[in-house]
Amino acid sequence: MTEQELSNATATLEQESGAEPHGKTRRMTLNMGPQHPSTHGVLRVLLELDGETIVKAEPVIGYLHTGIEKQAEALTWQQVVTLTDRMDYLANLSNNLAYALPVEKLLGLEIPPKAQWMRVLLNELTRINSHAVWLGTHAMDLGAMTVFFYCFREREDILKIFEAFSGQRMMTSYIRIGGLALEPPRGWEKMVRTFVSGFLEKVDEYEALLTANPIFKVRTQGVGHVPLERLLDLGVTGPMIRAAGLKWDIRKNEPYSSYDKFDFDIPVYEESDVFARFRVRIDEMRQSLRIVNQAMDGMPEGPYAAVSPNVVLPDREKMKTQMEALIYHFKIVSEGFRVPAGEAYVPVESPRGEIGFYVVSDGTSKPYRVYMRTPSFGNLQALPALFEGRLIADTIAGLGSMDFVLGDVDR
Amino acid sequence: MNFFLLSLIKTAIVTFALLTLLAYLQLVERKVLAHIQLRPGPYRVGPHGFFQPLADVIKLVTKEGVIPPGANKFFYLLAPVLGVALALTAIVVIPFGPEVEIFGVKTAMGLTDLNIGILFILALSSIGVYAIALGGWASPSKYSLLGGLRGSAQMISYELPMALAIVAPLLMLNTLSLREMVDGQAGFYFGFIPKWSIFAAPAPQIFSFIIFLIAVFAETNRVPFDLPEAEAELVAGFHTEYSSMGFASFFMAEYCNIVTVCCVATVLFLGGWHPLWPAEYGSNYVAPLVFLIAAGILFYHGRQGLRRWDKVSFPATGVVFVLLAALFLVPVLQPYIVPLFWFAAKAGTIIFVFIWIRGTLPRFRYDQLMRFAWTFLFPLAVLNLLITALVVALV
């Protein structure tokens, strides 16, 4: 071996071990996505690589842009609910709620307790559903394929519950302005109870496969660390920020929809790495289960929607017997209801973080503007901070731990 | 009998059996993995997807082979050929059974017996690295390049602990020929503990066996060391750009390597075709028992078949199993098929472990993998070798 070859070989070796190379090296640009198995949708990340170390990472978004914000201005207030389903397609009911709350605030509606309790219950089921999908895909990215199928087994049960409630598995549109879309179906208690009673064991099963697994630990512990201040600067919310040590959960800090009447804990970890985010979400699943149980036990009786004939559709029986009901029905369906001029914003804790709709009304039956503050978009800002200086394999762990939904990012 | 004719017949049999086995190994893997993951697996082609491998082969052969523009054509085409050729060659030195006499011809079960058999296998697996490195380098794709880089580094690193783990039992067996190794592990201590390397008297080679298994997981690019083809990161790694027969060749090479290393593990550590306990205590009846139990399960499930054809297909397969069991009870046939059964059972168990682990574990990161090899596995292998050498020298 000549001296030249020898020095080349050492340079390559050092490069592989992560040390600074002596010789001249060229950086490689790798275009990850928008069609890549683990970018979770159509995210494109431009990576500048030195060996396998990432020097620069730049997310390119917009591949799923559907103009939902603009579309909302062309629909009536109630119709916008269906659009919110299609943003974060893993947490539809959280979106429904986040949109309904500010509009109800403008309308000055009093939501009956049963509807509020039901909203809480469904939102927590949504959280479990979303976290199950996150866990499955996250584990699959790290190579643990089986967890994916286990998680989707549980998700299937939740989707069946949603289907029973609303007739739709994903695009539920069940939480409407004024309350719920329909009376909960007969036998829903039994469905939810069956799911709840079995789910805790399933969470233990995931933990046995992952939390206790040394390979999973070395892949996630200390990976993707970002200090809390940086995360706050970037506008990150949700489990990511709770994994960095900040106890911030809108359900506790600014309770909405009677969340203050429920007893649950906010899991907080200090490490701010992929493993901490994993544990926060696993713990949240357990807490959500607690809330669901409480909601089941204390479910109040009463109407499922507010008593407000010019917003909420009358029930079919009244429509056939009472003149006023028929008129209201005609008005709501043909024109929609008018919302008093003003603006409102009510944040909601979605599985991914703070989601909120800043709605502006000019007094007509269509919104003047619906600005969507989505958690995925905020959380995605942390991507360069998570990736730079790390290895390609860590991007996979990092992407998974951010848990974004591209529909939520691009709208 | 003419040596060439005999070799030709044996080669034909082994090639046919091996290629079929490789195709069906893939089906077995998909089925086992599917059942771990709560799904039925391939199901459409034939009963329970039994003809799926056939469909796969037809599909892969008839697909257009695309050579991406910018590829180095010669090396691009050479890589898969090299991979599969080397993988298939390695099977040549594996002994499957003892010497037998068929129609008056005395011959050994196995293609050939080199006096340096184990070195031959090590050499072939070393050259096998070139297939991955060339495949990754010749494809004009960055993912392939990274996959090839990872693959060559990983395979070279893990060859060391693997070789050291192999050396330790060799010290006790005192031979490099695989057939003589198996012969050296014949017999029983106290009449019932087999003299396999992992139980052998002065220094049981359990640690060597475990180190060997870990190293071959890396050597064959399997989970948790499947980094060269880490799907989530590198799309498909070094064979991202391959299609049609190029892809099929890599695929076949991978499965062939698994079969080879499992056979080597069986020969080296688990006493080849020697039974777990002596024939006096009825080890010859294990095979018929296994088949009868399988047949019983099939009959039971056939009674309450979920699908229409289950009521026919389950009992039919059960009958085949009963016939197989009966075959093992024919005294004339016993010396031929009982050793084969034990060999297949041992190698099959290790293959099952391969699949099981794939269904359970996540994968390592590249740097962790290298650190694991050099700072943990390698020193452990050296220590194990030293202790074995010391014990062998003293006793």
Side-chain angles (χ1 to χ4, degrees):
Chain A
M1 200 183 260
T2 64
E3 217 171 276
Q4 179 61 42
E5 279 170 354
L6 199 69
S7 75
N8 278 349
T10 33
T12 329
L13 261 181
E14 272 164 355
Q15 208 176 321
E16 274 165 8
S17 62
E20 280 297 314
H22 295 301
K24 254 206 214 154
T25 51
R26 248 186 334 154
R27 285 177 181 172
M28 182 165 96
T29 310
L30 188 68
N31 181 24
M32 202 166 133
Q35 310 293 344
H36 185 278
S38 51
T39 49
H40 294 217
V42 281
L43 173 69
R44 177 175 166 214
V45 189
L46 279 173
L47 297 173
E48 213 174 294
L49 298 176
D50 184 359
E52 281 216 25
T53 315
I54 294 157
V55 185
K56 223 178 115 208
E58 190 188 325
V60 183
I61 61 169
Y63 289 91
L64 207 60
H65 183 68
T66 44
I68 285 181
E69 273 184 34
K70 192 69 190 165
Q71 276 185 60
E73 292 165 23
L75 299 176
T76 63
W77 287 96
Q78 194 71 275
Q79 283 171 334
V80 175
V81 173
T82 57
L83 286 181
T84 64
D85 278 332
R86 282 148 181 86
M87 297 163 49
D88 183 348
Y89 42 79
L90 295 179
N92 323 71
L93 287 156
S94 304
N95 298 2
N96 292 169
L97 182 62
Y99 171 70
L101 287 175
V103 182
E104 283 161 2
K105 198 171 164 190
L106 283 179
L107 283 164
L109 284 183
E110 187 75 36
I111 305 301
K114 183 180 178 183
Q116 294 204 15
W117 245 257
M118 215 64 199
R119 285 174 171 192
V120 168
L121 184 137
L122 289 168
N123 259 276
E124 293 311 313
L125 283 180
T126 303
R127 194 178 312 278
I128 296 173
N129 169 30
S130 169
H131 282 355
V133 175
W134 156 79
L135 180 64
T137 49
H138 185 41
M140 189 157 77
D141 289 346
L142 295 175
M145 221 194 319
T146 306
V147 181
F148 176 79
F149 291 95
Y150 290 178
C151 289
F152 268 62
R153 171 186 61 189
E154 272 72 78
R155 178 177 187 243
E156 192 60 33
D157 292 341
I158 299 181
L159 290 185
K160 275 186 190 138
I161 294 174
F162 287 169
E163 195 181 6
F165 270 94
S166 66
Q168 282 276 359
R169 285 156 61 83
M170 283 175 78
M171 305 302 156
T172 49
S173 296
Y174 187 64
I175 296 174
R176 301 272 174 88
I177 297 165
L180 305 174
L182 300 159
E183 182 75 35
R186 248 175 285 158
W188 69 270
E189 289 101 339
K190 203 175 154 229
M191 277 185 97
V192 179
R193 287 244 189 254
T194 325
F195 170 75
V196 165
S197 61
F199 188 67
L200 214 54
E201 280 170 39
K202 308 281 171 60
V203 180
D204 293 339
E205 199 176 299
Y206 308 147
E207 289 229 71
L209 274 167
L210 295 174
T211 319
N213 188 322
I215 301 178
F216 184 76
K217 274 190 188 161
V218 294
R219 280 301 301 278
T220 53
Q221 273 174 344
V223 171
H225 172 82
V226 185
L228 178 61
E229 293 75 40
R230 188 81 198 277
L231 287 177
L232 285 172
D233 291 348
L234 291 165
V236 174
T237 49
M240 269 184 94
I241 208 136
R242 290 195 283 278
L246 186 71
K247 196 167 178 174
W248 177 259
D249 189 317
I250 300 164
R251 291 177 293 170
K252 276 266 192 244
N253 295 75
E254 295 172 24
Y256 53 89
S257 197
S258 340
Y259 260 111
D260 47 345
K261 299 199 177 88
F262 291 87
D263 174 34
F264 60 99
D265 301 323
I266 307 296
V268 175
Y269 287 85
E270 301 289 332
E271 295 84 1
S272 189
D273 57 6
V274 176
F275 192 62
R277 285 165 211 148
F278 164 80
R279 300 202 62 181
V280 164
R281 293 199 179 98
I282 290 275
D283 289 356
E284 274 185 13
M285 286 205 242
R286 296 213 169 92
Q287 294 301 329
S288 292
L289 220 52
R290 267 179 76 187
I291 300 175
V292 171
N293 269 328
Q294 289 170 37
M296 296 280 299
D297 294 336
M299 182 63 67
E301 291 294 318
Y304 63 88
V307 187
S308 173
N310 53 358
V311 173
V312 179
L313 286 174
D315 65 54
R316 305 293 293 181
E317 201 48 48
K318 268 190 194 160
M319 224 178 84
K320 288 171 194 160
T321 51
Q322 293 177 10
M323 182 72 170
E324 297 81 9
L326 188 63
I327 293 170
Y328 276 129
H329 185 272
F330 180 74
K331 288 286 279 180
I332 294 171
V333 170
S334 60
E335 191 203 350
F337 48 83
R338 283 158 199 263
V339 173
E343 42 200 71
Y345 176 83
V346 182
V348 162
E349 185 73 29
S350 98
R352 267 158 271 286
E354 176 183 333
I355 184 167
F357 290 71
Y358 178 70
V359 294
V360 183
S361 171
D362 53 0
T364 59
S365 60
K366 286 175 184 172
Y368 177 75
R369 174 87 170 94
V370 181
Y371 171 76
M372 296 154 183
R373 190 263 175 241
T374 54
S376 298
F377 183 75
N379 293 359
L380 195 64
Q381 307 308 315
L383 186 139
L386 235 73
F387 284 7
E388 276 161 21
R390 309 221 50 118
L391 297 168
I392 294 186
D394 289 340
T395 64
I396 306 306
L399 276 175
S401 79
M402 297 198 316
D403 185 26
F404 50 79
V405 164
L406 263 301
D408 204 24
V409 176
D410 291 342
R411 272 103 73 195
Chain B
M1 199 191 228
N2 189 327
F3 171 73
F4 288 103
L5 188 62
L6 184 66
S7 302
L8 217 59
I9 294 171
K10 283 209 285 191
T11 313
I13 294 172
V14 170
T15 312
F16 176 75
L18 183 68
L19 291 183
T20 318
L21 178 78
L22 291 182
Y24 272 89
L25 183 58
Q26 186 231 0
L27 178 71
V28 168
E29 162 147 36
R30 285 172 70 176
K31 275 286 184 191
V32 172
L33 210 56
H35 283 281
I36 291 175
Q37 295 167 347
L38 318 161
R39 42 192 188 98
Y43 214 86
R44 294 284 161 201
V45 192
H48 288 255
F50 192 74
F51 299 117
Q52 183 70 37
L54 214 68
D56 285 345
V57 167
I58 292 170
K59 189 201 85 171
L60 282 169
V61 170
T62 51
K63 283 259 164 161
E64 182 190 357
V66 180
I67 300 178
N72 186 326
K73 241 184 204 171
F74 178 70
F75 289 117
Y76 180 82
L77 292 175
L78 177 70
V81 176
L82 196 67
V84 74
L86 291 170
L88 289 173
T89 312
I91 221 84
V92 163
V93 290
I94 305 282
F96 303 106
E99 289 212 8
V100 288
E101 206 180 310
I102 306 172
F103 306 125
V105 185
K106 253 179 107 74
T107 182
M109 285 193 189
L111 287 180
T112 183
D113 183 34
L114 291 180
N115 54 0
I116 50 156
I118 195 81
L119 294 183
F120 181 71
I121 287 180
L122 279 178
L124 285 181
S125 85
S126 300
I127 307 175
V129 179
Y130 279 100
I132 288 183
L134 285 179
W137 176 76
S139 321
S141 158
K142 288 163 185 170
Y143 289 118
S144 302
L145 180 67
L146 286 171
L149 270 176
R150 283 179 173 191
S152 33
Q154 166 185 336
M155 286 169 83
I156 290 167
S157 305
Y158 275 85
E159 219 148 71
L160 279 164
M162 184 175 86
L164 287 174
I166 288 177
V167 170
L170 289 187
L171 286 176
M172 287 160 47
L173 295 166
N174 245 332
T175 173
L176 289 175
S177 146
L178 290 164
R179 182 163 293 281
E180 283 170 32
M181 279 178 208
V182 179
D183 291 339
Q185 297 175 59
F188 300 89
Y189 298 113
F190 316 116
F192 66 94
I193 302 175
K195 285 185 178 172
W196 303 351
S197 293
I198 54 167
F199 303 125
Q205 293 301 316
I206 292 176
F207 284 109
S208 307
F209 182 56
I210 294 167
I211 294 168
F212 180 79
L213 271 191
I214 295 173
V216 296
F217 271 101
E219 200 60 23
T220 52
N221 301 327
R222 296 281 299 186
V223 172
F225 306 111
D226 62 336
L227 297 177
E229 43 198 285
E231 194 183 308
E233 296 150 32
L234 300 180
V235 189
F238 62 90
H239 59 62
T240 306
E241 298 295 332
Y242 281 91
S243 55
S244 179
M245 274 315 282
F247 170 73
S249 303
F250 273 128
F251 211 64
M252 222 155 80
E254 192 186 317
Y255 280 89
C256 192
N257 280 329
I258 293 170
V259 172
T260 312
V261 294
C262 289
C263 289
V264 171
T266 308
V267 166
L268 208 56
F269 296 99
L270 301 180
W273 56 82
H274 295 305
L276 190 53
W277 65 87
E280 300 95 77
Y281 301 124
S283 69
N284 281 353
Y285 297 103
V286 171
L289 204 65
V290 168
F291 282 115
L292 279 179
I293 291 171
I297 293 171
L298 281 170
F299 287 138
Y300 175 75
H301 282 291
R303 278 166 54 100
Q304 36 179 309
L306 289 173
R307 289 154 297 261
R308 229 180 330 155
W309 60 81
D310 281 0
K311 286 203 161 64
V312 186
S313 68
F314 277 22
T317 321
V319 169
V320 172
F321 276 25
V322 171
L323 290 177
L324 271 173
L327 214 61
F328 277 92
L329 293 173
V330 180
V332 190
L333 286 177
Q334 269 185 1
Y336 306 100
I337 53 177
V338 170
L340 277 182
F341 167 80
W342 279 105
F343 192 89
K346 289 171 193 172
T349 309
I350 303 174
I351 291 176
F352 178 76
V353 172
F354 268 68
I355 301 171
W356 187 7
I357 285 186
R358 181 172 168 200
T360 312
L361 292 182
R363 74 172 68 82
F364 273 106
R365 202 173 64 202
Y366 178 60
D367 59 323
Q368 290 161 350
L369 173 99
M370 298 303 263
R371 206 175 307 134
F372 182 72
W374 290 103
T375 63
F376 178 73
L377 212 55
F378 183 63
L380 197 70
V382 171
L383 195 70
N384 175 56
L385 180 63
L386 283 177
I387 292 171
T388 310
L390 207 68
V391 172
V392 171
L394 290 179
V395 176

